[in-house]
């Protein structure tokens, strides 16, 4: 099983980006999935999380600007980021709790994708 994150880039303040995280390989289903970020010199923090029921939670700094959602059929989780600010600049990572074919449930991390918000 692999998690592939994509969609990062350079955007001006106030702009938008959509991050995508796709699980591939021997995936039965995804339970909880989340997006984390690590800014330079900072610790990694949980940005948004979505559980199997569809309920989502966000860190206060992104509430009202970011939306996490998923496509169950495609084993994908997205992070729509609007009204981006320079302080959103970070490497973004996805993490998912996945049921693996013929095995059990495991946590997987995707490689990071860089988001830079700058004019």
């Amino acid at each position: 099983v692999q998690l592939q994150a994509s969609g990062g880039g350079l955007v001006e303040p106030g702009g938008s980006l959509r991050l995508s995280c796709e699980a591939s390989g021997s995936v039965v289903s995804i339970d909880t999935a989340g997006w984390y970020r690590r800014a330079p010199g900072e610790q990694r923090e949980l940005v948004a999380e979505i559980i199997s029921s569809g309920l989502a939670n966000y860190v206060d700094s992104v509430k009202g600007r970011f939306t996490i959602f998923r496509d169950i059929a495609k084993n994908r989780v997205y992070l729509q980021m609007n009204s981006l600010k320079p302080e959103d600049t970070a490497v973004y990572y996805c993490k998912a709790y996945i049921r693996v074919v013929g095995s059990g449930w495991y946590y997987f991390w995707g490689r990071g994708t860089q988001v830079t918000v700058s004019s």
Side-chain angles (χ1 to χ4, degrees):
V1 172
Q2 288 189 329
L3 280 183
Q4 181 66 46
S6 61
L10 173 64
V11 63
E12 293 185 347
S16 298
L17 283 174
R18 177 177 291 184
L19 305 184
S20 175
C21 178
E22 180 177 6
S24 61
S26 302
V27 178
V28 176
S29 60
I30 299 174
D31 189 73
T32 302
W35 287 94
Y36 294 72
R37 67 185 179 188
R38 175 176 285 164
E42 302 289 333
Q43 291 188 338
R44 185 170 57 196
E45 68 169 347
L46 175 62
V47 176
E49 184 177 53
I50 186 166
I51 63 177
S52 57
S53 66
L55 183 66
N57 296 297
Y58 302 89
V59 67
D60 286 346
S61 60
V62 308
K63 285 182 179 177
R65 300 189 297 122
F66 290 11
T67 302
I68 187 171
F69 60 100
R70 60 190 181 181
D71 185 329
I72 295 174
K74 294 182 178 179
N75 289 326
R76 289 181 182 173
V77 179
Y78 301 91
L79 185 67
Q80 178 66 42
M81 306 185 294
N82 299 327
S83 302
L84 282 161
K85 303 176 180 180
E87 51 263 43
D88 294 318
T89 295
V91 179
Y92 284 72
Y93 302 85
C94 60
K95 177 184 177 182
Y97 191 49
I98 298 173
R99 184 177 177 184
V100 178
V101 174
S103 188
W105 291 88
Y106 303 91
Y107 283 103
F108 293 88
W109 283 93
R111 290 188 177 181
T113 183
Q114 176 71 47
V115 172
T116 302
V117 185
S118 175
S119 54

